[in-house]
Amino acid sequence: MDRIGNKTARNPYFCFMRIDIITLLPELMESPFSVSILKRAAEKGLVEIHFHQLRDFATNKQKSVDDYQYGGGAGMVIGVEPISACIEHLQSERSYDEIIYMTPDGKTLNQGIANSLSLCDNILILCGHYKGVDQRIRDKYISSEISIGDFVLSGGELAASVLCDAVIRLIPGVLNDESSALSDSFQDNLLAPPVYTRPAEWNGMKVPEVLLSGHGAKIETWRHEQSMERTKKLRPDLLKESGLE
């Protein structure tokens, strides 16, 4: 088992999350958590990540975890026994708020899902491979099935990394400015407005005057209008979902 984070390094927010990830490629998982915001979250003691090599729970000499499909067909399937042994071992140590299977046919990840998961204390994520996992695992253990889009990856590790990034950044204390996450795209089913920084004029292109005015109420009104306009143009489906069209 590999671990990232230090639970003893508790912080003034007293907010802690543990994420366990079952994977065939723990080496692939390590890089996203060893830099930037996710690394700082672990160093602050806000989150602890544990990787569990599924092959460690295989009982055969070859440490293989996959087998042919019943009924025939191309591609191998990860069997029930190693996954069940791993999950039940972890469940014997703690209860999980969610046991998530990363799969292309799951519910598409969105900001609402990330917000909800950010309130959890313990999350277990199962990364699939090959043609997926035996359906009986999904029926018995999985509480949520999540996809990051309508496409297929070689395995669930990259998708799990995306999910973790979306969730961990929402934990209080992870971002230096907590209000930053609240103004992200999709938090209110709107795309974020355009943003600008210095210089105020570049190649004849000027920053909108309202942003230089110092008038907070007018700036917020402008930003909301811009968000509505951008969402209507680029993602009208979001307005329909929220009843804002």
Side-chain angles (χ1 to χ4, degrees):
M1 177 183 71
D2 298 314
R3 182 186 74 180
I4 295 179
N6 179 11
K7 188 171 182 178
T8 61
R10 299 305 289 268
N11 60 89
Y13 294 89
F14 299 104
C15 180
F16 171 78
M17 176 185 290
R18 174 178 170 128
I19 301 176
D20 289 279
I21 302 175
I22 302 173
T23 169
L24 289 172
L25 297 171
E27 303 86 357
L28 181 60
M29 300 293 301
E30 291 171 2
S31 177
F33 296 94
S34 62
V35 295
S36 191
I37 291 173
L38 300 188
K39 178 183 179 182
R40 293 198 297 271
E43 289 176 341
K44 290 179 179 179
L46 294 165
V47 66
E48 194 172 281
I49 310 293
H50 293 260
F51 306 122
H52 305 273
Q53 171 56 266
L54 183 59
R55 295 190 192 279
D56 291 342
F57 295 85
T59 56
N60 54 68
K61 291 182 179 179
Q62 298 78 20
K63 293 296 182 181
S64 61
V65 298
D66 59 309
D67 210 334
Y68 296 103
Q69 300 184 54
Y70 277 124
M76 306 292 276
V77 176
I78 302 179
V80 294
E81 292 175 335
I83 300 176
S84 174
C86 184
I87 291 177
E88 293 197 6
H89 167 72
L90 293 171
Q91 286 182 319
S92 71
E93 298 178 338
R94 65 191 48 80
S95 358
Y96 290 93
D97 303 299
E98 291 281 355
I99 300 180
I100 299 168
Y101 176 48
M102 304 305 302
T103 173
D105 58 3
K107 184 174 183 180
T108 304
L109 176 63
N110 58 33
Q111 193 62 46
I113 292 174
N115 290 344
S116 178
L117 291 175
S118 73
L119 302 176
C120 294
D121 294 321
N122 296 304
I123 296 173
L124 176 57
I125 301 175
L126 171 62
C127 301
H129 265 276
Y130 314 119
K131 294 296 286 185
V133 304
D134 190 299
Q135 180 63 39
R136 289 169 290 185
I137 290 294
R138 300 170 74 166
D139 294 340
K140 180 174 175 61
Y141 296 107
I142 303 303
S143 61
S144 296
E145 300 188 345
I146 296 178
S147 166
I148 62 168
D150 295 337
F151 51 88
V152 178
L153 298 171
S154 300
E157 284 78 13
L158 296 178
S161 298
V162 169
L163 173 63
C164 289
D165 188 294
V167 170
I168 292 171
R169 66 189 305 277
L170 297 172
I171 298 173
V174 169
L175 299 181
N176 292 330
D177 181 0
E178 291 180 33
S179 64
S180 177
L182 298 178
S183 59
D184 286 339
S185 289
F186 308 112
Q187 280 290 9
D188 50 6
N189 249 26
L190 295 175
L191 299 183
V195 293
Y196 301 86
T197 187
R198 292 178 290 185
E201 183 174 348
W202 174 78
N203 283 0
M205 302 169 70
K206 297 181 179 181
V207 173
E209 289 293 332
V210 64
L211 298 178
L212 307 176
S213 68
H215 196 297
K218 289 183 178 180
I219 290 172
E220 287 307 308
T221 297
W222 179 87
R223 285 175 171 162
H224 180 71
E225 291 172 348
Q226 291 294 310
S227 288
M228 289 288 291
E229 185 176 324
R230 293 189 74 195
T231 306
K232 183 177 182 180
K233 178 180 179 181
L234 302 174
R235 291 292 305 276
D237 56 300
L238 294 176
L239 294 178
K240 184 176 181 179
E241 289 173 8
S242 59
L244 297 174
E245 61 178 354

